[in-house]
Amino acid sequence: MKIVGQKDVKLDKAFMEEVAKRSGENVFLCYQCRKCASGCPSRMFMDSTPTELMRYVQLGMVDEAMKTNTIWYCLSCQTCSARCPQDIDIAHVVDTIRILVQEKGIKADTKNMRLFNRLWMNILKYAGRMYELALTGMLNVFTGRPFKDMSLGIKMMRKGKLKLLPSIRKPFAMMKMFSRAKRLKK
Amino acid sequence: MKIAYYPGCSLHSTGVEYDISTKKVCAALGIELVEVEDWICCGASPAHQCDELMSVALPAKNLALAARTDNLKEICAPCASCYSRLKFAQERMTDENMRKNVEQIIGSEYPEGFKVLHMLDVIVEKTGTEAVKEKVVKSLNGLKVACYYGCLMTRPPKVTGKQQFENPTEMESLMEALGAETVDWNMKTFCCGASFALTQTDVVLKLTRKILADAVSAGAQAISVGCPLCHANLDGRQEQINKKFNTNFHIPIFYFTELMGLALGFEAKDLGIFKHLTEVEDFLKERALV
């Protein structure tokens, strides 16, 4: 836990309200019991614990919430949401902050998750189903480690565990769904 | 019993043996699986963290497609991630505004009251372990199995409706019906890192190592799973874990349907078991399961 003076912190009430409203979770119920932080399997990688993240949201500490690596190390394993005594879906709050960071194009080290999400959603938009070879291939090229997991991939291919060609299902219907969603969000 | 079947993307690629063994086992138990026509990806890992609307619309579309298939009212997904997304979509669709928007996106009505089941629920709750036991021709003969549920088969209880989300025991009862012995261990609902395998492999290696180590120290000879992402990490990453942490894991990871298939008398090769990346042939030979 970092202790800071009030003048060092940007407090943004609008951020707090936006997270609460979009997630539909009553984030103000959190009383910092730390049950989420204790159970989080990814805690050791995070700068701030999930409990601290909840406090950032309650106080409207927008920079701390959006730029901490905590949200990008969340595995969406739902342990925190399952255990919260105040019944807050914490993983949903994390998802909401991740969405805000991506929508607003905020500069943050997203641990390649921004890229991962964009690639996967684009594959869906044009193919309708996952095409693992394209996802891993593009991800490895764009992150500058083209040979990552190469031998594993070859092994899987030999065993018939990776499709060589994408299975495309009604691409026009999928594109239509995505464009309708885009229009609705405006 | 007739039920809509949503295999999901993983079962057509990295988890193909799960698809093969599920179909075999269900046929043997008299469960008719009707694959949802033209199903699409449920949005699994990325949709919920980058696009809330699509994360509900994609599973809702699949439910709408399933409702059109033979007028069925139940759908089962073997993949824990697909199961979770379908369940989440149902929960989110109770919001009036969300429902209106999603129906507009999918261009059809959203089917109310669909029952979403994980494959394990279909076997344990709907068929019953007694019925499975009657069909066993080749007992697993005391094979020590650690049953691994991972995250999304049980959590969050508000969505899955599971009572015992910290210590589920359905898979144990199934394994015991097959003649296996189950071990008591700590990591049965611990996260393996799932899709972080592609972006942050180190996280997956660390978490998966904990799971493997706990299973081995509890005396397990094999781990039984019900999720293709868990299987990919536990089975496929053992070599990398051994290299990185200087360990010596060599523990076979089976889908629970594969172990069922073996006990029901199917040949290992017909169940796709040899597609595993951790070698299993000698293991099965030693126990006369091949």
Side-chain angles (χ1 to χ4, degrees):
Chain A
M1 172 85 62
K2 195 170 64 174
I3 298 171
V4 288
Q6 202 179 8
K7 61 177 182 301
D8 307 325
V9 189
K10 189 174 137 202
L11 295 181
D12 184 354
K13 212 173 153 217
F15 167 72
M16 157 200 5
E17 278 163 3
E18 191 168 13
V19 172
K21 188 165 174 258
R22 285 188 60 165
S23 67
E25 301 297 329
N26 190 349
V27 291
F28 308 103
L29 287 178
C30 171
Y31 50 47
Q32 300 283 297
C33 74
R34 297 188 154 254
K35 216 171 170 187
C36 50
S38 322
C40 180
S42 206
R43 166 67 188 100
M44 58 179 149
F45 308 104
M46 294 172 174
D47 292 338
S48 306
T49 63
T51 318
E52 284 162 16
L53 182 74
M54 291 303 289
R55 188 57 114 205
Y56 295 154
V57 175
Q58 289 178 329
L59 296 174
M61 291 167 70
V62 56
D63 286 341
E64 280 75 4
M66 288 219 189
K67 289 183 184 161
T68 163
N69 69 12
T70 304
I71 50 173
W72 302 107
Y73 271 115
C74 168
L75 296 152
S76 305
C77 75
Q78 312 289 338
T79 308
C80 51
S81 302
R83 291 182 184 170
C84 178
Q86 291 290 72
D87 215 11
I88 306 168
D89 187 346
I90 300 160
H92 195 191
V93 175
V94 171
D95 276 346
T96 309
I97 305 172
R98 288 198 275 217
I99 290 172
L100 288 175
V101 170
Q102 290 166 94
E103 275 182 6
K104 294 182 194 232
I106 286 165
K107 271 210 185 100
D109 180 10
T110 66
K111 305 281 163 204
N112 295 327
M113 290 307 281
R114 199 194 302 249
L115 176 68
F116 172 81
N117 293 342
R118 201 175 288 168
L119 288 173
W120 189 322
M121 291 307 271
N122 268 313
I123 291 173
L124 286 198
K125 186 169 165 186
Y126 299 111
R129 288 184 191 173
M130 183 70 243
Y131 180 34
E132 288 80 1
L133 218 50
L135 177 72
T136 41
M138 285 195 279
L139 198 61
N140 288 353
V141 168
F142 289 137
T143 52
R145 33 179 199 182
F147 303 113
K148 182 183 174 289
D149 288 335
M150 188 73 126
S151 65
L152 187 65
I154 291 170
K155 246 197 248 169
M156 289 174 85
M157 229 182 271
R158 277 212 197 112
K159 299 253 182 181
K161 283 172 98 108
L162 279 177
K163 286 178 296 202
L164 293 176
L165 296 169
S167 56
I168 297 174
R169 291 294 134 155
K170 306 213 168 159
F172 296 112
M174 279 308 278
M175 283 186 250
K176 225 190 215 163
M177 272 176 67
F178 274 85
S179 68
R180 280 193 205 124
K182 206 172 164 190
R183 233 178 297 139
L184 271 174
K185 267 182 264 172
K186 273 185 186 157
Chain B
M1 182 180 15
K2 207 165 161 183
I3 190 162
Y5 178 59
Y6 177 73
C9 306
S10 288
L11 269 78
H12 279 204
S13 56
T14 55
V16 63
E17 62 269 42
Y18 195 12
D19 188 45
I20 298 170
S21 55
T22 298
K23 283 178 176 161
K24 284 253 153 67
V25 165
C26 284
L29 292 173
I31 303 167
E32 194 186 334
L33 299 175
V34 188
E35 189 161 328
V36 176
E37 214 179 310
D38 282 332
W39 56 267
I40 52 170
C41 174
C42 65
S45 318
H48 65 87
Q49 47 174 299
C50 69
D51 190 338
E52 172 115 41
L53 206 48
M54 283 312 275
S55 79
V56 182
L58 291 166
K61 175 80 184 167
N62 283 309
L63 290 176
L65 289 171
R68 242 181 277 163
T69 315
D70 281 6
N71 263 329
L72 294 171
K73 291 270 171 280
E74 289 177 314
I75 184 168
C76 71
C79 170
S81 192
C82 298
Y83 164 74
S84 172
R85 287 336 298 170
L86 291 170
K87 280 278 203 191
F88 260 107
Q90 288 191 314
E91 207 244 5
R92 302 272 197 262
M93 285 297 268
T94 50
D95 181 75
E96 205 46 54
N97 207 20
M98 177 62 90
R99 187 189 168 124
K100 218 175 70 203
N101 286 337
V102 166
E103 282 189 340
Q104 216 172 321
I105 293 173
I106 64 176
S108 65
E109 210 178 307
Y110 163 75
E112 202 66 60
F114 231 81
K115 195 164 180 197
V116 178
L117 295 158
H118 186 269
M119 203 61 219
L120 187 64
D121 299 335
V122 177
I123 308 277
V124 176
E125 279 167 33
K126 296 202 60 110
T127 315
T129 49
E130 281 307 310
V132 175
K133 206 171 183 175
E134 278 167 26
K135 298 259 163 112
V136 171
V137 292
K138 196 159 65 180
S139 158
L140 294 184
N141 227 346
L143 175 71
K144 283 194 174 149
V145 181
C147 297
Y148 177 64
Y149 297 78
C151 310
L152 300 176
M153 276 164 81
T154 56
R155 277 194 305 263
K158 228 192 320 183
V159 171
T160 59
K162 294 272 154 59
Q163 299 290 320
Q164 284 184 296
F165 60 94
E166 297 281 10
N167 187 19
T169 51
E170 298 97 325
M171 207 191 288
E172 270 88 352
S173 63
L174 176 64
M175 286 303 137
E176 276 152 22
L178 303 176
E181 231 178 82
T182 54
V183 302
D184 231 352
W185 65 313
N186 306 306
M187 296 287 188
K188 61 162 91 165
T189 56
F190 193 75
C191 182
C192 69
S195 64
F196 269 36
L198 299 180
T199 51
Q200 304 232 59
T201 314
D202 280 356
V203 173
V204 168
L205 297 184
K206 261 191 188 158
L207 299 183
T208 304
R209 177 190 167 213
K210 282 191 189 181
I211 297 164
L212 294 172
D214 190 50
V216 170
S217 74
Q221 296 162 323
I223 300 178
S224 153
V225 299
C227 169
L229 291 168
C230 302
H231 190 272
N233 287 339
L234 293 173
D235 176 58
R237 301 274 168 186
Q238 282 186 34
E239 207 181 293
Q240 290 178 359
I241 290 170
N242 288 340
K243 216 188 253 168
K244 185 167 171 161
F245 299 105
N246 207 7
T247 49
N248 192 18
F249 292 118
H250 192 91
I251 179 164
I253 317 293
F254 294 102
Y255 289 106
F256 68 92
T257 46
E258 291 176 336
L259 290 175
M260 281 178 77
L262 288 175
L264 297 183
F266 290 104
E267 288 293 326
K269 67 174 189 317
D270 296 334
L271 295 164
I273 288 181
F274 299 133
K275 288 181 183 291
H276 291 188
L277 296 180
T278 301
E279 206 271 326
V280 282
E281 197 165 348
D282 292 340
F283 177 88
L284 292 175
K285 267 187 195 147
E286 263 170 46
R287 288 163 183 81
L289 289 165
V290 167

